Amino acid sequence: MAGVEGRVAVVTGSGGGLGRQHALLFAQRGAKVVVNDLGGSRDGTGAGSEMADRVVDEINRGGGDAVANYDNVATPEGGKAIVQSAVEAFGTLDIVVNNAGILRDVTFHKMDDAQWDAVLKVHLYGSYHVTRAAWPLLREKNYGRVVVTTSTSGLYGNFGQSNYGAAKLGVVGMINTLALEGRKYNVHANAVAPIAATRMTEDIMPEEVLATLDPAFVSPLVVHLSSEECSTSGEVVLAGGGNYARVHYMQAKGAAFPGVPSVDDIASTWDQIMDMDGAELGQPLSG
Ligand SMILES: NC(=O)c1ccc[n+]([C@@H]2O[C@H](COP(=O)([O-])OP(=O)(O)OC[C@H]3O[C@@H](n4cnc5c(N)ncnc54)[C@H](O)[C@@H]3O)[C@@H](O)[C@H]2O)c1
């Protein structure tokens, strides 16, 4: 097999926006696709089958092979049911693209527990539940590609998005370890940080900028990361409007002390600790 041809892919939240484009491209490249979408609104309220059904129709009418799933990624039962859909329809699962997402934007000062939890549940727990349900299958078959969807809001911060940013950096933490644990089973895990014109961004960027950010630009990256040939793992790649770039933590040369330094020692070497000249890519402790 080459690319993603003949592979079975689950794309969560693929009833619209970026996920729809990913699902269409997977199908175009010969993968069988589970189009999962809860079918709710941008803030995660509501549900329905139309969004997923529409994308499945689009794929199947174009000669592809897709089935719909309407389960909620935010629960363990939902994660299991999504993976089960792939197994029932296509006999196996090779690729998990965690894309489903919602927004509950509010400044931290006004954040309540429900706003915090709802966003963490869909993005972070959602990526966990679906990937956790898929993991034994992938390990057992010695093949798997996992993609999570992060955001510059998590990587760098964004006003009014502390819940979303926490969730989005959480999924990067997850794939950093999945890359280490999956390596010997040929299971790779990476993150994409998209920037695209969807219902999520329609009111936060000017129209002329949105016009340059067709979500279709992001999908070739997602499909490449999901392909047989791609051995990259544990990386974050940004994609938007035709630009693609790796994002990685850099670690400064810093300062070293033979014993526990005093607070004054830290203060007096602060410039050296913070200096990024000669910084190198951050590395895991093991692996
Ligand atoms: N658009 C951007 O610029 C941008 C930037 C950074 C990250 N992202 C991320 O990309 C992903 C896709 O977002 P989008 O911009 O296409 O927005 P979108 O709202 O069009 O897509 C999100 C999809 O997820 C579905 N969904 C929501 N909760 C779900 C749940 N619990 N279970 C199953 N499906 C659920 C929605 O129904 C929707 O179709 C999200 O994870 C988002 O955070 C988008």
Side-chain angles (χ1 to χ4, degrees), residues 207-284:
E207 236 168 73
E208 57 283 11
V209 176
L210 289 170
T212 65
L213 295 175
D214 186 335
F217 277 119
V218 181
S219 305
L221 169 68
V222 170
V223 173
H224 173 66
L225 288 172
S226 305
S227 69
E228 169 114 40
E229 292 78 8
C230 184
S231 58
T232 296
S233 198
E235 294 292 342
V236 178
V237 186
L238 197 132
N243 300 299
Y244 305 86
R246 179 189 192 187
V247 176
H248 206 292
Y249 286 119
M250 301 295 289
Q251 190 166 315
K253 280 192 157 43
F257 298 92
V260 178
S262 69
V263 175
D264 294 336
D265 289 337
I266 296 292
S268 63
T269 47
W270 192 243
D271 288 349
Q272 191 185 335
I273 292 170
M274 298 301 282
D275 184 4
M276 294 304 285
D277 265 3
E280 292 179 357
L281 292 184
Q283 296 296 337

Side-chain angles (χ1 to χ4, degrees), residues 11-271:
V11 184
T12 70
S14 53
L18 284 156
R20 171 176 163 271
Q21 295 294 340
H22 302 340
L24 294 175
L25 190 57
F26 271 116
Q28 236 179 63
R29 306 288 296 192
K32 297 163 191 156
V33 189
V34 175
V35 175
N36 157 265
D37 207 289
L38 185 62
S41 59
R42 186 170 90 162
D43 69 1
T45 51
S49 55
E50 304 81 41
M51 289 177 73
D53 284 345
R54 222 178 301 133
V55 177
V56 167
D57 280 353
E58 202 176 344
I59 290 174
N60 291 341
R61 266 189 284 114
D65 202 351
V67 294
N69 170 284
Y70 322 112
D71 283 296
N72 184 352
V73 299
T75 67
E77 303 74 42
K80 286 182 192 133
I82 293 165
V83 169
Q84 194 52 31
S85 284
V87 174
E88 267 166 28
F90 304 122
T92 189
L93 177 60
D94 305 286
I95 296 161
V96 179
V97 178
N98 294 289
N99 164 83
I102 62 166
L103 287 181
R104 297 271 171 101
D105 290 0
V106 58
T107 57
F108 194 62
H109 181 61
K110 294 182 182 151
M111 178 77 62
D112 65 30
D113 293 350
Q115 290 160 329
W116 181 267
D117 285 346
V119 169
L120 270 282
K121 282 279 189 250
V122 175
H123 294 275
L124 181 56
Y125 281 75
S127 299
Y128 163 69
H129 291 313
V130 181
T131 308
R132 181 66 189 88
W135 198 252
L137 276 176
L138 306 180
R139 255 177 62 129
E140 201 172 304
K141 71 188 296 184
N142 230 36
Y143 186 87
R145 300 289 182 266
V146 174
V147 176
V148 297
T149 310
T150 182
S151 166
T152 54
S153 299
L155 298 168
Y156 306 125
N158 195 23
F159 203 93
Q161 292 197 322
S162 56
N163 49 359
Y164 181 75
K168 286 309 205 186
L169 205 50
V171 297
V172 174
M174 185 176 88
I175 61 104
N176 283 341
T177 289
L178 296 192
L180 300 176
E181 295 181 3
R183 187 174 296 154
K184 75 173 178 191
Y185 303 100
N186 189 23
V187 179
H188 302 324
N190 293 283
V192 296
I195 305 170
T198 67
R199 71 178 188 178
M200 217 177 242
T201 49
E202 64 191 359
D203 53 359
I204 63 165
M205 284 189 267
E207 236 168 73
E208 57 283 11
V209 176
L210 289 170
T212 65
L213 295 175
D214 186 335
F217 277 119
V218 181
S219 305
L221 169 68
V222 170
V223 173
H224 173 66
L225 288 172
S226 305
S227 69
E228 169 114 40
E229 292 78 8
C230 184
S231 58
T232 296
S233 198
E235 294 292 342
V236 178
V237 186
L238 197 132
N243 300 299
Y244 305 86
R246 179 189 192 187
V247 176
H248 206 292
Y249 286 119
M250 301 295 289
Q251 190 166 315
K253 280 192 157 43
F257 298 92
V260 178
S262 69
V263 175
D264 294 336
D265 289 337
I266 296 292
S268 63
T269 47
W270 192 243
D271 288 349

